[in-house]
Amino acid sequence: MSRLVMKFGGTSVADIERIRNVARHVKREVDAGHEAAVVVSAMAGTTNQLVDWCREAAVLHDAREYDTVVATGEQITSGLLAIALQDMGVTARSWQGWQIPIVTSDAHGAARILDINGEELVRRFNDRHEVAVISGFQGIYPETGRLTTLGRGGSDTSAVAIAAAIGADRCDIYTDVDGVYTTDPRVVARAGRLDKIAFEEMLELASLGAKVLQVRSVELGLVHNVRIFVRSSFDEPDRIDPHGTPPGTLICNEEEIVEQQVVTGIAFSKDEAQISIRSVADKPGVAAAIFGPLAEAGINVDMIVQNVSADGATTDLTFTVPAADYQRAESVLASAKNAIGYAKLDGASDIAKVSVIGIGMRSHAGVAARAFRALAERGINIRAITTSEIKFSILIDAAYTELAVRTLHSLYGLDR
Ligand code: ASP
Ligand code: MG
């Protein structure tokens, strides 16, 4: 017998038929003797609609009321799934964030989970064999007693946090894809599904644009060592062996991965812009003068590259921001020009960031050098490079993204 968290995303609960399909997945596990806590998202499109309504009501609105509105999507699904389960003869009860409670910070619209009391859920597993159907994405800030939400895609994080709280053996994320791929299969037809990926690698992949999971959920998995299994909800529920290994990707501790590849996956993002600040003074406080105002404006800066000054007086500094923030970043820097002191600003928004990820890089030298050679042979110019222990990222012209990703995918033996 295992204790499982089963999380279903918006497309998996898009209508009543699909909710019934989800109920059959749950029933299969319960019939096999497993204990199940189910976490659901809002039905596909619902959260977007709710967000739109808030904006329509007032462009600038109270974040507490935004949470009141957008948290309702999940309440509908949890109730409907409990009804569908009961209709199949499965004992089930729905739970909203405030009922458990799922205690969060007061950062409305982007709250962080602080504590979950899983005792009552566990007691009901034991006493009644009752399935808990929990609304994802939401919690409560106890000081004010108000509803909170965790940020878009937050029900992944709810699921992993609940798995940690009830000591689940695994957190199954049922979604519209059957796992995590070596890269986006729409770009590289020969991309393959990974059987296993380490938390750290998945964290990089998710941060770098793979949209399978909310980044925060992977962080929680890493911290609490919750094994996360990404699998498809569209597989025929009754054909799956509840004791077998279905197709999917297990996100786990690196010790659990026996055949570790040097490179696990390649991520890319075209929504990047590059800004270069020319001839800034090479003296203490300049980086603070540049990145302080950007941080205050809520602009996320990535890939900072600064050269060592040749003349000891000035240097150039390059970094990337999300393309959507490009104009804003330029105007923030223009207004801070006197405080920073630079000769000129230039930039480009038609660029892409390609990242190669793998824990094996810790122990293998020359991994990045091979990429530079292969890209050079294809005439792809690299604008900037950053590295960390388990990944390196390059900045290139967006037009070469697909070519670069395909080149690297075969270079590192990832082609299926
Ligand atoms: N329904 C919420 C959203 O769309 C949370 C989730 O689905 O994870 O962002
Ligand atoms: Mg999602």
Side-chain angles (χ1 to χ4, degrees):
M1 187 204 76
S2 304
R3 181 173 292 169
L4 301 173
V5 167
M6 307 173 71
K7 183 260 169 179
F8 296 89
T11 47
S12 309
V13 294
D15 54 37
I16 301 298
E17 202 39 58
R18 291 202 184 159
I19 289 176
R20 255 193 220 112
N21 191 60
V22 165
R24 287 162 63 210
H25 278 294
V26 177
K27 184 173 176 353
R28 175 192 68 233
E29 301 299 333
V30 172
D31 288 349
H34 300 317
E35 296 172 341
V38 187
V39 176
V40 286
S41 293
M43 295 161 88
T46 300
T47 309
N48 287 344
Q49 172 67 269
L50 297 169
V51 171
D52 287 349
W53 279 338
C54 290
R55 286 206 194 109
E56 217 178 297
V59 180
L60 291 177
H61 44 256
D62 187 326
R64 285 160 293 197
E65 302 311 340
Y66 166 93
D67 278 350
T68 304
V69 176
V70 300
T72 58
E74 275 71 11
Q75 177 161 345
I76 297 172
T77 333
S78 59
L80 289 173
L81 179 57
I83 292 173
L85 282 165
Q86 290 166 0
D87 186 51
M88 290 178 191
V90 177
T91 314
R93 185 58 66 213
S94 68
W95 294 89
Q96 307 313 306
W98 61 271
Q99 291 171 308
I100 293 181
I102 296 175
V103 173
T104 74
S105 69
D106 65 347
H108 285 278
R112 287 171 84 90
I113 297 178
L114 301 176
D115 186 41
I116 298 178
N117 184 348
E119 267 171 42
E120 179 63 13
L121 303 184
V122 171
R123 197 179 64 73
R124 287 169 180 240
F125 288 152
N126 294 333
D127 298 356
R128 315 185 190 179
H129 303 289
E130 185 178 281
V131 172
V133 184
I134 302 162
S135 288
F137 184 52
Q138 52 166 268
I140 183 175
Y141 176 58
E143 238 118 288
T144 55
R146 301 218 63 97
L147 295 183
T148 54
T149 63
L150 309 179
R152 299 306 306 272
S155 42
D156 296 329
T157 301
S158 308
V160 176
I162 286 160
I166 64 173
D169 300 290
R170 209 175 63 212
C171 179
D172 282 356
I173 306 279
Y174 287 80
T175 178
D176 49 7
V177 291
D178 63 356
V180 179
Y181 279 69
T182 48
T183 193
D184 188 338
R186 285 167 301 187
V187 169
V188 181
R190 304 185 70 189
R193 190 183 60 231
L194 295 158
D195 287 335
K196 290 182 180 176
I197 182 171
F199 288 119
E200 288 88 347
E201 293 171 321
M202 190 62 216
L203 207 48
E204 294 286 1
L205 266 186
S207 321
L208 292 166
K211 291 180 185 67
V212 218
L213 286 174
Q214 200 193 37
V215 176
R216 181 84 189 113
S217 70
V218 186
E219 278 170 16
L220 278 185
L222 171 69
V223 171
H224 298 287
N225 199 10
V226 175
R227 300 162 78 236
I228 304 171
F229 187 56
V230 179
R231 57 192 292 183
S232 169
S233 69
F234 298 127
D235 294 336
E236 185 55 39
D238 312 317
R239 292 231 191 94
I240 298 168
D241 173 6
H243 301 289
T245 338
T249 302
L250 183 70
I251 306 166
C252 58
N253 234 309
E254 63 183 282
E255 282 78 54
E256 223 185 296
I257 304 175
V258 188
E259 276 178 60
Q260 184 70 60
Q261 306 283 48
V262 177
V263 168
T264 305
I266 297 172
F268 58 91
S269 147
K270 290 186 186 178
D271 307 321
E272 307 276 327
Q274 170 199 328
I275 295 179
S276 295
I277 307 184
R278 306 296 179 192
S279 303
V280 286
D282 187 20
K283 61 168 201 241
V286 168
I290 294 169
F291 297 115
L294 290 171
E296 265 160 47
I299 297 171
N300 218 342
V301 175
D302 187 36
M303 275 191 95
I304 304 175
V305 184
Q306 184 191 322
N307 213 332
V308 175
S309 170
D311 58 5
T314 64
T315 184
D316 291 348
L317 203 141
T318 293
F319 55 89
T320 60
V321 296
D325 291 333
Y326 180 42
Q327 306 289 336
R328 222 154 50 84
E330 283 205 319
S331 64
V332 167
L333 293 169
S335 357
K337 183 166 186 189
N338 285 340
I340 303 167
Y342 57 83
K344 75 179 182 71
L345 272 188
D346 53 46
S349 58
D350 50 350
I351 57 155
K353 180 174 67 178
V354 177
S355 306
V356 175
I357 297 148
I359 273 185
M361 281 187 217
R362 278 193 199 132
S363 46
H364 286 78
V367 180
R370 291 175 60 202
F372 304 152
R373 205 173 312 121
L375 295 172
E377 278 162 13
R378 306 242 171 353
I380 300 172
N381 183 43
I382 301 173
R383 289 167 166 256
I385 305 167
T386 56
T387 64
S388 77
E389 211 188 3
I390 65 161
K391 71 140 203 260
F392 65 90
S393 301
I394 55 160
L395 211 56
I396 58 172
D397 288 349
Y400 293 108
T401 315
E402 282 79 10
L403 179 61
V405 173
R406 282 194 204 115
T407 301
L408 298 175
H409 197 267
S410 35
L411 176 71
Y412 294 112
L414 298 175
D415 285 353
R416 220 175 353 118

